[in-house]
Amino acid sequence: MARVFALTDVGQSREHNEDTFLVANLESGAMLSFEEGVHEVTADAHGLLFLVADGMGGAASGELASSMAGQLVLEGLRESWSKAATPDVATFAEALRDATGLANTRIHQHARENPEHRGMGTTATIAGLFGDRLFVVQVGDSRAYMVRDGLARQITKDQSLMQRLVEAGELTPEEAEVSDRRNIILQALGPEAQITVDLTHQQLRRGDTLILCSDGLSGLVRGEEIGALTTTEPDVRLVCRKLVDRANARGGPDNITVIAVQFEGDALVASTATDSVGYTAYPLEGTLYDQTREMPTSRPPRNTIKSDPTPRQGVRMPTRSEQREADAAQRNIDDKASVVAPLPEPAIAERKRAVQPLFMLLGSVAVAALVWTAMQLLRR
């Protein structure tokens, strides 16, 4: 059973809200409205869908892009997943990947056909519940956190320049948080004809709380604060309200959107100390895992994208120096990933013993050569 609430707020500085959220029952394909309060939903055979999208490209374009993302992802899942006669994990993962790719294609096509929306795009963090497993598709820098045992752990990875530089060791997380380039993202739905989604998965435990949010929240409220507030407040409606209020109290420079989902029920087991929570890629063809295997992130596309603060006309592309910096950071990551670990001491000792006879032979040859040379000099 999922107890869920969702809330979006324009913030303190924006005139328009370019964020979108969507919660849907994938058994019926119906979207849930939260005007009357919290929903308690029993997950049926086809599961549940939770989505947060943060639009960019100016008010009209950003609002349209994020709204289209939610509608198109749900439409794709209705066609390919909700009608599946025998739902299984692999089919669900593929359906999430394909529905997100379809949404990107349609948003990109709309922008090409309508010059007034050229450059529009949106982030998308899309969580799908199937049985007792959660799958998350990530495009951009909205986030998903899993709150368990009082701690909030980020289970998505930002597709951003700052994330790339932190992974390469060029910046600390604290430096990245205050950088004036923290809104440069490497992927979004719409700007490019093709995307490669990041797909992760997480085993649920009884009492887990999922938090999906746009960077209007995560940019101002740290993960540890999200964990503490979510743990001490049992009402998901108040969790959302208090998180939004905290972001607004700190200036609210961007739109703020949050979905909070508490998972309960006898079908879920209790958490244990050995459980793993965090970013875990799901091995599926056509995703970043398939493209990069063990690499932390994909190589940046030819063009990167600037999210908030959104320019009113179009989307700013990075400068050449910013692109070179992202490329250098990725090369640094590649180099670190390819470093061969040093041999253990026993192996080193064994190799020394193996080559010792050769060194003794070479030493004997050198001594003999010296003796022979000395004898030749004495004869002269």
Side-chain angles (χ1 to χ4, degrees):
M1 189 272 291
R3 185 179 298 109
V4 56
F5 190 77
L7 184 64
T8 187
D9 188 271
V10 71
Q12 300 296 303
S13 302
R14 300 298 181 86
E15 297 178 358
H16 303 276
N17 193 342
E18 300 175 51
D19 285 2
T20 291
F21 67 76
L22 181 145
V23 179
N25 184 326
L26 292 176
E27 186 76 13
S28 63
M31 292 186 292
L32 305 184
S33 170
F34 297 93
E35 293 182 358
E36 297 182 0
V38 174
H39 281 274
E40 292 188 356
V41 186
T42 300
D44 295 315
H46 288 87
L48 303 172
L49 176 71
F50 315 95
L51 176 148
V52 165
D54 180 357
M56 62 195 72
S61 296
E63 290 177 29
L64 179 61
S66 62
S67 177
M68 287 180 67
Q71 294 171 4
L72 291 169
V73 167
L74 180 57
E75 179 182 312
L77 289 172
R78 281 170 173 164
E79 290 298 319
S80 65
W81 171 248
S82 297
K83 296 179 180 179
T86 55
D88 57 53
V89 168
T91 305
F92 186 53
E94 292 170 359
L96 286 170
R97 175 201 62 195
D98 294 346
T100 308
L102 171 65
N104 179 74
T105 300
R106 296 279 296 276
I107 295 170
H108 181 73
Q109 181 180 0
H110 180 88
R112 287 176 58 88
E113 295 173 352
N114 297 272
E116 68 273 21
H117 296 306
R118 185 164 297 163
M120 76 177 190
T122 180
T123 70
T125 299
I126 306 160
L129 174 67
F130 178 66
D132 61 353
R133 295 177 68 181
L134 190 75
F135 291 82
V136 184
V137 171
Q138 177 74 2
V139 182
D141 64 349
S142 296
R143 289 184 178 179
Y145 293 91
M146 184 64 71
V147 182
R148 180 182 297 175
D149 299 329
L151 298 176
R153 298 176 176 89
Q154 187 176 341
I155 59 175
T156 53
K157 185 178 290 185
D158 296 350
Q159 296 170 357
S160 66
L161 175 62
M162 291 300 101
Q163 177 70 24
R164 181 69 51 81
L165 294 176
V166 168
E167 289 180 345
E170 302 292 335
L171 290 177
T172 66
E174 293 74 22
E175 290 171 334
E177 285 181 358
V178 298
S179 170
D180 58 2
R181 294 178 295 168
R182 62 187 179 277
N183 56 326
I184 302 286
I185 59 176
L186 305 181
Q187 272 202 131
L189 297 181
E192 301 290 338
Q194 299 291 331
I195 59 166
T196 305
V197 304
D198 197 10
L199 178 62
T200 57
H201 62 129
Q202 188 71 54
Q203 188 73 43
L204 289 178
R205 297 296 185 228
R206 190 182 310 129
D208 282 351
T209 299
L210 172 69
I211 300 290
L212 296 185
C213 63
S214 62
D215 66 344
L217 176 67
S218 61
L220 296 171
V221 182
R222 292 177 177 270
E224 52 264 34
E225 295 179 87
I226 293 174
L229 192 153
T230 302
T231 302
T232 57
E233 178 50 71
D235 186 336
V236 288
R237 181 184 64 84
L238 290 179
V239 167
C240 293
R241 183 73 266 171
K242 289 180 178 180
L243 288 173
V244 169
D245 288 347
R246 187 166 299 187
N248 273 324
R250 295 175 182 176
D254 195 5
N255 307 142
I256 310 159
T257 300
V258 59
I259 300 175
V261 192
Q262 292 174 346
F263 297 103
E264 298 290 351
D266 295 336
L268 296 175
V269 301
S271 62
T272 67
T274 59
D275 290 338
S276 175
V277 184
Y279 176 89
T280 308
Y282 183 79
L284 180 65
E285 182 180 356
T287 65
L288 287 183
Y289 176 92
D290 177 63
Q291 187 180 78
T292 61
R293 297 300 177 183
E294 299 303 322
M295 299 305 299
T297 56
S298 69
R299 293 188 178 277
R302 184 180 301 275
N303 295 317
T304 53
I305 305 142
K306 185 172 183 180
S307 61
D308 302 310
T310 305
R312 291 191 177 276
Q313 298 296 328
V315 179
R316 184 182 80 77
M317 309 310 276
T319 64
R320 290 184 179 179
S321 63
E322 289 169 344
Q323 186 64 59
R324 285 196 296 269
E325 191 171 1
D327 292 342
Q330 181 62 48
R331 285 193 296 271
N332 193 355
I333 293 171
D334 292 349
D335 292 343
K336 290 178 180 178
S338 62
V339 170
V340 178
L343 290 172
E345 289 298 326
I348 294 174
E350 179 62 30
R351 290 195 176 188
K352 286 181 177 179
R353 286 193 295 271
V355 299
Q356 190 172 9
L358 177 60
F359 286 141
M360 293 177 64
L361 177 61
L362 291 174
S364 299
V365 172
V367 170
L370 288 172
V371 171
W372 182 85
T373 302
M375 291 178 63
Q376 294 299 317
L377 291 174
L378 289 173
R379 288 177 180 175
R380 294 177 183 176

